[in-house]
Amino acid sequence: SDLLRYSIQFHQETLVPLEQEIAIVRDYLALESIHYEERLRYHFDINAHTLQLRVPPMSVQLLVENAIKHGIANLPNGGSITIQSSLLNGTLRVSVRNTGQLHQPSVRNSIVDTGIGLRNSQERLDLLFPSHCSLTVQNLNEETVEAAFTIAQNPEHSHESSHR
């Protein structure tokens, strides 16, 4: 019910604390675990210093959903997902790594030939954080795909109201 409520209300919010987004991702993965059973394994590596930083709602959830839909679901033995956050030199980085491979790798910092959800996420990041963000999707190696976004934390956004 929390996931449904959040997905309905997310249009009312411009930015939410990463902590809130991670809570929804946990709920989503709990539901998906029922469907995929032992084929879906996941791990969170969330830096405590990033929990109150603000991100667009559904931004992490979309990356996790894509990891399942385009990665784990296509593998007979399933796979794993790792959700990480870090803060380095004032830049928040959130990544979702999953077992799988991109068939047409995307160009770094440009989401091309990918689904509409990723394009919309890139556009939303660009609108909220002009010149202070990136969204990448790439093969890390022969077994792992990583989708990640970065947001440089700056004064004009760190105190922004969560409502439009």
Side-chain angles (χ1 to χ4, degrees):
S1 67
D2 287 341
L3 181 59
L4 179 60
R5 192 171 17 264
Y6 185 74
S7 66
I8 290 169
Q9 294 174 348
F10 94 92
H11 291 293
Q12 300 170 7
E13 305 286 332
T14 302
L15 297 171
V16 297
L18 180 62
E19 182 174 34
Q20 184 177 350
E21 185 73 4
I22 294 300
I24 290 305
V25 168
R26 287 183 192 278
D27 290 345
Y28 176 75
L29 285 169
L31 280 174
E32 289 295 326
S33 291
I34 295 167
H35 175 78
Y36 289 99
E37 298 175 338
E38 70 278 350
R39 291 183 57 227
L40 174 61
R41 297 169 302 284
Y42 57 90
H43 172 73
F44 288 86
D45 182 13
I46 306 299
N47 181 316
H49 297 290
T50 65
L51 289 173
Q52 295 309 310
L53 298 178
R54 301 177 77 70
V55 300
M58 302 298 281
S59 54
V60 181
Q61 196 276 339
L62 173 75
L63 299 182
V64 171
E65 186 177 325
N66 279 343
I68 292 173
K69 180 179 177 184
H70 300 293
I72 307 303
N74 298 322
L75 301 171
N77 295 323
S80 62
I81 296 176
T82 300
I83 299 97
Q84 295 179 306
S85 72
S86 61
L87 186 61
L88 181 63
N89 297 325
T91 298
L92 168 66
R93 184 172 195 277
V94 177
S95 69
V96 176
R97 294 180 179 181
N98 65 279
T99 308
Q101 281 291 277
L102 290 173
H103 298 293
Q104 295 179 319
S106 297
V107 177
R108 284 184 75 76
N109 277 341
S110 176
I111 304 301
V112 294
D113 297 328
T114 57
I116 194 165
L118 289 175
R119 275 195 305 273
N120 288 344
S121 289
Q122 178 72 63
E123 290 172 7
R124 191 165 49 151
L125 282 168
D126 288 340
L127 284 172
L128 293 169
F129 305 97
S131 304
H132 298 287
C133 64
S134 69
L135 175 61
T136 59
V137 181
Q138 63 183 335
N139 289 323
L140 285 184
N141 55 43
E142 297 79 31
E143 300 174 354
T144 308
V145 174
E146 178 186 65
F149 66 85
T150 61
I151 300 171
Q153 301 299 300
N154 59 44
E156 64 189 73
H157 290 294
S158 62
H159 294 47
E160 183 175 289
S161 169
S162 63
H163 295 285
R164 290 185 194 180

